């Protein structure tokens, strides 16, 4: 049979366009909510968080995966911006740096109100509302990017339930329990490679309080970056579904940042969500990767955990290598076209784009109960590294917070009592 090659080429081009057109049609109604973007970290490292200088203009920002025209071209309608501070700030200035990253996200919303609206809930609250009461669905209707704060790394709360609650009030709606280091209360993924020692066997007693308090407040528990034991402990303990904001499937690429199949089954049982990371090293376990291999991860998670468990967590501006075809945030429609080519239904695609995240977010909001008493029990003093901190409030270490004068006075009293002076 002799069919001209050009006819096949024409069919291929036409079908390609058809899936791409279909992707755009779907995304006009259901834009993507991405689980993790590190633009705020880039704003710190490139401009020391000065948004008003010429080069920091987000409309023309160059050399980043993310800017306003690219977000528009990619049909991004919701973004968890990462308030990230590295592990070397742990036990030092982690809290201050986290506050500064939350501030830069909120200033993005102030400076570009036509593009971004900072939101803290899933709903479609009607105007007039203070900006922070606007929800994701309302932002969709207004054609703006619903901007949410995700704090990446439990070290950002400095082992304090008070800091956790305050970050919630400042807009934090997910907390990744660890970054790539243990906290005094949760173990990170490097425990599974043998590079770090297991210290909390998943979650310590205080770590369990953190999870309970997150449930009570309505903060999504994020298990990207944690050890498998921590994943399982949090999935069992949490009364609300959880997310992996930027993790892929372990059985396709044996990297410990990825999610193994037995955990994917727990994700299915709990109505939780895995937002697939596009970083080449987690997609193909090599330096190079393709858009099609990212779609393989989405297919795999759908097969093991169900279509309701799939989302996108690109990790744009947080990674150095991205797949061919997914070079920046403008490329999401090409990934959606690939899913349609693989016969994902429209409902499954809308789920992966936004509806699965909205379902989890609404469940987290429903479980939250601000009338319940807050968790109060502090972490034991012995579990804190004390070299850079005061220990006010801990009776176990009274001498650490006494003034030298007071210390001398009490020593004098004791010695006088003993008749030695
Ligand atoms: Zn990360």
């Amino acid at each position: 049979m002799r069919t001209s090659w050009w006819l096949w080429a024409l069919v291929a081009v036409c079908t390609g366009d058809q899936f791409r057109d279909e992707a755009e049609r779907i995304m006009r109604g259901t834009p993507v909510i991405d689980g993790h973007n590190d633009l705020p970290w880039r704003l710190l490292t490139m401009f020391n968080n000065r948004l008003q200088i010429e080069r920091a203009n987000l409309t023309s920002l160059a050399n980043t995966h993310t800017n306003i025209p690219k977000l528009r071209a990619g049909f991004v309608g919701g973004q968890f911006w990462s308030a990230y501070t590295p592990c070397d700030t742990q036990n030092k200035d982690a809290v201050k740096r986290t506050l500064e990253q939350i501030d830069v996200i909120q200033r993005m919303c102030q400076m570009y109100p036509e593009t971004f609206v900072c939101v803290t809930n899933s709903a479609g609250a009607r105007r007039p509302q203070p900006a922070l009461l606007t929800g994701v669905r309302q932002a969709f209707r207004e054609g703006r990017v619903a901007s949410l704060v995700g704090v990446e790394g439990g070290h950002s709360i400095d082992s304090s339930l008070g800091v956790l609650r305050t970050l919630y009030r400042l807009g934090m709606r997910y907390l990744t329990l660890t970054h790539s280091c243990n906290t005094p209360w949760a173990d990170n993924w490097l425990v599974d490679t043998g590079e770090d020692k297991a210290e909390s066997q998943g979650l310590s007693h205080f770590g369990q309080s953190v999870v309970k308090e997150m449930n009570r407040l309505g903060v999504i528990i994020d298990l990207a970056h944690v050890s498998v034991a921590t994943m399982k402990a949090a999935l069992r303990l949490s009364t609300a579904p959880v997310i992996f904001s930027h993790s892929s499937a372990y059985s396709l690429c044996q990297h410990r940042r990825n999610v193994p199949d037995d955990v994917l089954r727990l994700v299915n049982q709990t109505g939780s969500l895995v937002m697939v990371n596009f970083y080449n090293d987690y997609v193909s376990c090599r330096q190079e990767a393709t858009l099609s291999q990212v779609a393989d991860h989405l297919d795999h998670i759908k097969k093991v955990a169900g279509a309701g468990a799939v989302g996108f967590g690109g990790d744009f501006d947080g990674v150095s290598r991205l797949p061919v075809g997914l070079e920046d945030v403008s490329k999401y429609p090409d990934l959606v076209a690939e899913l349609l080519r693989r016969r994902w239904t429209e409902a499954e695609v809308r789920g992966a784009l936004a509806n699965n995240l909205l379902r989890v977010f609404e469940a987290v909001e429903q479980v939250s109960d601000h009338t319940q008493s807050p968790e109060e029990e502090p972490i034991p003093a012995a579990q804190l590294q004390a070299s850079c901190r005061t220990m006010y409030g801990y009776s176990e270490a009274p001498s650490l917070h006494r003034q030298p004068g007071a210390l001398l006075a009490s020593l004098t009293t004791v010695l006088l009592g003993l008749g030695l002076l």
Side-chain angles (χ1 to χ4, degrees), residues 163-173 217-219 370:
V163 173
L164 174 72
R165 283 187 280 272
T166 304
L167 291 179
Y168 167 80
R169 292 184 199 111
L170 293 176
M172 170 181 75
R173 286 300 177 270
L217 290 167
V219 180
H370 291 249

Side-chain angles (χ1 to χ4, degrees), residues 36 38 152 179 225 246 257 315:
H36 195 84
D38 272 305
E152 186 182 26
H179 192 253
H225 282 278
H246 56 304
R257 269 286 281 104
D315 213 353

Side-chain angles (χ1 to χ4, degrees), residues 314-329:
D315 213 353
F316 285 112
D317 281 307
V319 296
S320 47
R321 292 182 283 276
L322 285 159
V324 176
L326 280 174
E327 293 84 359
D328 59 55
V329 298

